[in-house]
Each structure stands twice: as C-alpha cells, then as structure tokens.
Amino acid sequence: MNIPIKTPDEIEKMREAGRQAASVLEMIAPHVTAGVTTGELDRLCHEYIVNELGSTPAPLNYHGFPKSICTSINHVVCHGIPDPDKKLKKGDIMNIDITVKTGDGYHGDSSAMFIVGESIQGERLCRVTQECLYRSIALVRPGVRLSELARAIQSHAEANGYSVVRDFCGHGIGATFHEDPQVLHYDGYAPEADATLAAGMCLTIEPMINVGGHQTKVLRDGWTAVTRDKSLSAQWEHTLLVTETGVEVLTARREEDFSFLDH
C-alpha cells in the first residue's frame, strides 16, 4: 500500500474541504422533512456547493453516478440515487452522503442520518451506529492499526444485536476521492492490508450497520445498495486527519460533541 502522508499545505486544504462538507450537511438539515423529495434535497445541495462554496459535488458523474449527493432511505445501505418523485414520509430514516471537491482540488467526505418524524427502531439504530463511529474515532492516533478501529465498530454493533456491512468500506482521501488504505468496519483484514496509522494520513471511517443480516445487494441501476433481508440500515461518516497526538475530525459539525477526544 502507498498511503499518502499530507504536507502541512495539503492539511490546510483538507481542513477547508472538511469544513465545506460539514457546512453542506448543516445547510440541508432543516429541509429534511416529510413530503420533500430526495431530488429536491439533491438540487439544494448542488446549488449550495456550486454557488455558495464555489466547489464541485464530487459524486456527480463519478464513474457515472448521476446525482450530486447520495440519499439512502430505510433499507438502502448506501449510494441511493436522489429521485424527483421520491417523497420522504414520517417514520423514514435516511442517510445523506456528500463529498465536496474544493477549488484547490481536495475532498471532504461526510454523511449523517436524518429521522423523519419518529421511528423508535430507527432512532436506536442511528444512535448505536454513531456510537460505533465515535468509538473508532477515539482510537485514532499514530501507531494504531486499522484492525483495532474495525474491532471497536464490530464489537459495539454486535453487542447491540446489529450486524456490520462488509461489502463497503471507508478509504483514504485527499486530492483523490478514494486513496489507500481501505478502512474496513469489521475484523476482516489480511495481515498485509492492516496498515498502521501515522501522522499526516487522512481517511474516512463510515460504518454501515444493519438491524438484520450484513448481506447486501446492488439494484439494477448499478448503484443503490440495499440489505438483502430489507432490514433497516444506518451510516455515519467523517473525514479524519491523524495528528501527532491523536485525531482531528475535519468534517465535524457544530452540533457534535467531540469532548471525548480531549484525553
């Protein structure tokens, strides 16, 4: 593996990319309500990224993906395609996944869950999935192996009766959307792929957690991944910088509390 170590200049560009990505999710949050279409959410995000931030929505036309964000509802695990005819309804849970490419050419990648109205099962799944992400973030520092992050996610998910998706993973990120390493969310590393973190690495952690089994399938559109058993799925994602002493969450949103990292 050739895992890039970012220079100080590149780290500043990654900080800006992360800040922009976080701002998109903060902007769109009030619009996620019953009756809105996922196509409208895509339009709002696209216009904000292009017109307000002066950046580019990285997913648009990436390997042929047709939209600017991913909207993954209920049993959709990831890569759901926004649809002008798909209205959100009360009880839905949805992941919005956004990646911004700045004018400097650097990427910020983040996703968050939104609950429309009330969903007791959905709220618990979303909470535990976010806890999985936070538990893994808390371990990030130089010298830690990727498998340690994966075990933290898998153990917490399974302790709560859930399963971890194995068909998709996190990744390194920088001037390229997807770089080395692959960041698994379950304990499945071959020894040669179990990289050791070092200061200056940037990566995403983005666990996808299912109420039912971990198996997924991709629909005929070639993108939308769903749980095979149609059980609910949730995902949270952050772009991270490994620092000399720990971790910096580049895509942190204002409502989040990362005081647990002050150790």
Side-chain angles (χ1 to χ4, degrees):
M1 269 186 302
N2 181 24
I3 303 174
I5 301 294
K6 303 295 186 286
T7 65
D9 179 59
E10 288 177 311
I11 287 169
E12 284 305 314
K13 290 174 179 175
M14 286 299 295
R15 285 188 175 120
E16 174 61 16
R19 185 195 68 76
Q20 290 191 14
S23 77
V24 180
L25 289 171
E26 291 174 337
M27 178 280 299
I28 202 61
H31 300 279
V32 182
T33 56
V36 74
T37 67
T38 54
E40 173 68 3
L41 298 174
D42 177 76
R43 183 188 68 80
L44 290 167
C45 288
H46 179 94
E47 291 183 355
Y48 177 81
I49 292 167
V50 173
N51 299 332
E52 298 296 322
L53 300 179
S55 293
T56 303
L60 184 61
N61 300 319
Y62 181 78
H63 295 308
F65 189 79
K67 297 292 182 176
S68 295
I69 64 172
C70 299
T71 49
S72 301
I73 303 171
N74 296 333
H75 72 291
V76 179
V77 174
C78 59
H79 304 155
I81 300 173
D83 183 340
D85 298 321
K86 178 65 176 179
K87 289 184 179 180
L88 296 181
K89 60 185 187 300
K90 287 184 178 178
D92 283 342
I93 66 170
M94 178 180 60
N95 177 272
I96 294 181
D97 191 343
I98 64 99
T99 308
V100 170
K101 183 179 182 182
T102 66
D104 284 331
Y106 284 76
H107 293 78
D109 190 0
S110 188
S111 80
M113 293 302 299
F114 297 87
I115 300 164
V116 183
E118 291 184 9
S119 168
I120 293 172
Q121 185 186 51
E123 287 170 14
R124 181 176 185 270
L125 174 66
C126 291
R127 174 179 58 79
V128 170
T129 304
Q130 190 173 41
E131 289 168 359
C132 287
L133 173 61
Y134 285 176
R135 282 174 179 237
S136 62
I137 290 174
L139 297 176
V140 173
R141 66 180 64 83
V144 170
R145 299 185 85 85
L146 291 174
S147 58
E148 296 176 61
L149 312 181
R151 281 193 293 273
I153 292 167
Q154 185 174 8
S155 62
H156 189 60
E158 292 178 354
N160 282 277
Y162 298 144
S163 65
V164 181
V165 169
R166 301 176 180 210
D167 296 333
F168 302 94
C169 62
H171 51 91
I173 186 169
T176 305
F177 192 165
H178 296 94
E179 301 176 344
D180 279 341
Q182 289 196 330
V183 182
L184 304 184
H185 304 116
Y186 68 100
D187 191 6
Y189 279 99
E192 65 274 12
D194 189 11
T196 300
L197 297 178
M201 290 181 180
C202 288
L203 66 151
T204 72
I205 303 177
E206 46 186 296
M208 288 147 269
I209 308 297
N210 298 344
V211 168
H214 67 80
Q215 296 85 357
T216 70
K217 65 177 180 180
V218 176
L219 301 185
R220 288 180 186 168
D221 61 28
W223 284 103
T224 307
V226 300
T227 55
R228 281 193 173 271
D229 58 11
K230 295 188 168 57
S231 65
L232 285 182
S233 186
Q235 178 190 22
W236 297 85
E237 175 186 13
H238 273 306
T239 296
L240 310 169
L241 166 69
V242 184
T243 67
E244 296 288 348
T245 56
V247 62
E248 185 178 329
V249 184
L250 299 178
T251 48
R253 298 180 302 281
R254 281 170 291 190
E255 83 271 10
E256 290 183 281
D257 178 8
F258 287 106
S259 58
F260 63 88
L261 296 177
D262 298 333
H263 50 250

